[in-house]
Amino acid sequence: MKIEARDYRSGLPLSISIEKGVYKKIDRIPNSPDSFWLPWIAPGLVDLQINGFGGVDLNSEGLSSERFEILCRKLFENGCTHFLATIITRPRNSYQKHLQELHQLVRALPLNCIGFHLEGPFLSSTEGCRGVHRIEWMMKPDLSWLDEVMKASGGKVKLITIAPEIDRELSLQFIKNAVALGSEVAIGHSEASWEIIESAIIAGAKLWTHLGNALSPVVPKFQNVLLNVIASDLPYASLIPDGKHVPMVAFRALAKALGSRVILVSDAMAGAAASPGIYHLGHIEVVVDPQGKAIEKQSGRLGGSTLRPFDGVFLAHKMTGIPWWEWWDAYSVRPAEILGIPHGLTEGNEASFCLLDLSPRPILRELYHKGKKVYPSSQ
């Protein structure tokens, strides 16, 4: 298969040959009057935090293969060629069965889900940090739990978010063990000091999960989490670019401070790419209003987002003025780097990419996954 398209970063026209699901040859071709009408080509989006999508909740019990496929294909429609199914804090004895069931679905439907992100249960229970996670299910890091979830998931737990201050020494050992087993570790829902963050980085932590959220609304002027993360050597921090989780001015400030360390995530829940109404995030009831804001019915706290990944790139551009292609990297190449996946328009890489138009508005024209067109789908 051969495709002609404009490189998303340079705008230069390319001729791309694809063979056996990888980029075989990428050549620049001369500009011509017809080049203007070529679509843009960009790596498929990689979302590290999908709780649900398209009316489907990944945290609820008994998910059918039909419902799981709906979620995966809805994400294809929104530019996402890779994602981590995100499981929030739940009872300790429920993880094994739930992960076994999800792993079986992924094996039977090898589409765009590449593993799991466990957001909890090792989070801070303080009022500002816990968000909608249930305090009664939180606990200190447990090394036997780590072995259990790795076995249940077939080794596909790719990311775990923890709050290392809840037990510093145990957390550091947990991070080392998780990395040795093939999982990356993020810090989040946390009030970790700069010293604890640096210790966690040395142990192997790579990321802060949705910086600016799950924090106390009142923090000390200088000794606070936002400054601690910015000043640290943490390689990456994720932001949710929906304008609801982090207001525009704060988003601009964090983006400028983090620079190339920032990645984008949606933190999407079942109400994303679905109508307003009542949805579930595991045991939590969430109301999605007509403006797309997802609120836990009981507490009034944000309960995930309804952000569509493709839209997230251009909302980040609109809020910051930073070129859209820089944000595209923050939602594709960089999160892939965290997971150790070679991703991008490079010969030999997996040919998972978007073809898009920018005018009169950004729109996804086609999506390819491992060299096969998956959107629009012929099914």
Side-chain angles (χ1 to χ4, degrees):
M1 180 174 65
K2 184 171 285 188
I3 287 174
E4 290 188 356
R6 287 182 286 173
D7 185 289
Y8 73 111
R9 293 193 63 89
S10 68
L12 296 173
L14 303 174
S15 174
I16 302 172
S17 298
I18 297 167
E19 189 176 302
K20 296 181 180 179
V22 302
Y23 299 115
K24 182 71 173 178
K25 189 73 172 171
I26 301 176
D27 292 313
R28 178 173 169 195
I29 56 178
N31 272 306
S32 71
D34 291 336
S35 299
F36 178 80
W37 302 105
L38 291 174
W40 298 82
I41 184 169
L45 299 176
V46 180
D47 200 316
L48 303 183
Q49 201 164 359
I50 297 287
N51 308 287
F53 205 81
V56 180
D57 178 31
L58 289 167
N59 286 266
S60 293
E61 311 299 333
L63 181 62
S64 68
S65 59
E66 291 80 11
R67 297 285 289 163
F68 182 68
E69 184 171 3
I70 287 171
L71 177 143
C72 292
R73 295 200 178 278
K74 280 287 185 182
L75 283 164
F76 276 151
E77 290 177 22
N78 288 277
C80 194
T81 55
H82 304 73
F83 76 92
L84 295 184
T86 300
I87 309 305
I88 68 166
T89 302
R90 57 191 295 119
R92 187 200 191 285
N93 60 5
S94 72
Y95 278 93
Q96 281 182 283
K97 182 175 183 291
H98 195 66
L99 284 169
Q100 285 171 350
E101 291 175 353
L102 287 176
H103 178 49
Q104 289 170 3
L105 290 173
V106 173
R107 288 184 64 186
L109 290 164
L111 299 172
N112 43 358
C113 181
I114 57 170
F116 308 106
H117 172 184
L118 305 183
E119 188 186 1
F122 315 122
L123 308 178
S124 172
S125 61
T126 61
E127 185 64 21
C129 290
R130 70 182 182 89
V132 297
H133 293 250
R134 296 282 181 86
I135 293 176
E136 62 268 29
W137 297 332
M138 292 180 183
M139 53 194 249
K140 292 182 178 181
D142 183 330
L143 300 181
S144 63
W145 175 94
L146 178 60
D147 291 331
E148 290 168 8
V149 297
M150 275 297 186
K151 182 177 179 181
S153 69
K156 293 296 184 180
V157 172
K158 299 295 185 182
L159 184 63
I160 304 172
T161 295
I162 73 169
E165 74 275 13
I166 60 177
D167 188 314
R168 180 173 180 168
E169 295 308 314
L170 191 54
S171 294
L172 297 181
Q173 188 58 54
F174 181 91
I175 293 169
K176 292 174 184 176
N177 285 25
V179 171
L181 290 171
S183 176
E184 300 298 345
V185 176
I187 307 172
H189 290 267
S190 167
E191 293 178 322
S193 66
W194 184 84
E195 291 79 10
I196 290 177
I197 294 171
E198 287 297 304
S199 296
I201 295 167
I202 293 169
K206 275 191 179 177
L207 171 71
W208 191 283
T209 292
H210 53 52
L211 185 63
N213 299 117
L215 297 176
S216 171
V218 180
V219 296
K221 182 166 60 173
F222 292 122
Q223 294 183 348
N224 64 68
V225 166
L226 294 176
L227 292 180
N228 290 342
V229 175
I230 292 167
S232 77
D233 295 316
L234 198 64
Y236 300 98
S238 67
L239 299 175
I240 303 170
D242 64 350
K244 300 176 177 66
H245 279 77
V246 182
M248 182 190 71
V249 172
F251 190 92
R252 285 172 64 95
L254 289 171
K256 287 176 180 288
L258 291 167
S260 61
R261 298 161 64 196
V262 67
I263 71 163
L264 297 180
V265 295
S266 66
D267 195 21
M269 47 74 71
S275 302
I278 297 175
Y279 296 90
H280 283 88
L281 179 55
H283 298 79
I284 301 162
E285 199 168 49
V286 179
V287 179
V288 174
D289 69 18
Q291 288 71 47
K293 197 171 187 178
I295 299 294
E296 184 191 11
K297 192 173 182 180
Q298 183 176 353
S299 69
R301 296 186 178 96
L302 288 168
S305 87
T306 60
L307 180 67
R308 300 171 185 238
F310 185 82
D311 294 341
V313 172
F314 299 98
L315 287 168
H317 164 63
K318 184 177 180 180
M319 286 193 286
T320 62
I322 295 170
W324 72 271
W325 57 87
E326 295 288 349
W327 285 116
W328 198 281
D329 276 351
Y331 215 161
S332 60
V333 176
R334 289 181 210 157
E337 285 174 352
I338 292 171
L339 300 178
I341 300 171
H343 193 48
L345 305 180
T346 302
E347 292 175 1
N349 279 358
E350 177 184 298
S352 294
F353 59 91
C354 300
L355 295 179
L356 60 144
D357 292 326
L358 296 178
S359 181
R361 61 182 177 82
I363 186 169
L364 180 65
R365 186 189 288 191
E366 294 178 359
L367 185 77
Y368 288 76
H369 181 246
K370 298 181 180 178
K372 178 185 177 183
K373 186 166 75 170
V374 292
Y375 174 78
S377 174
S378 59
Q379 295 185 0

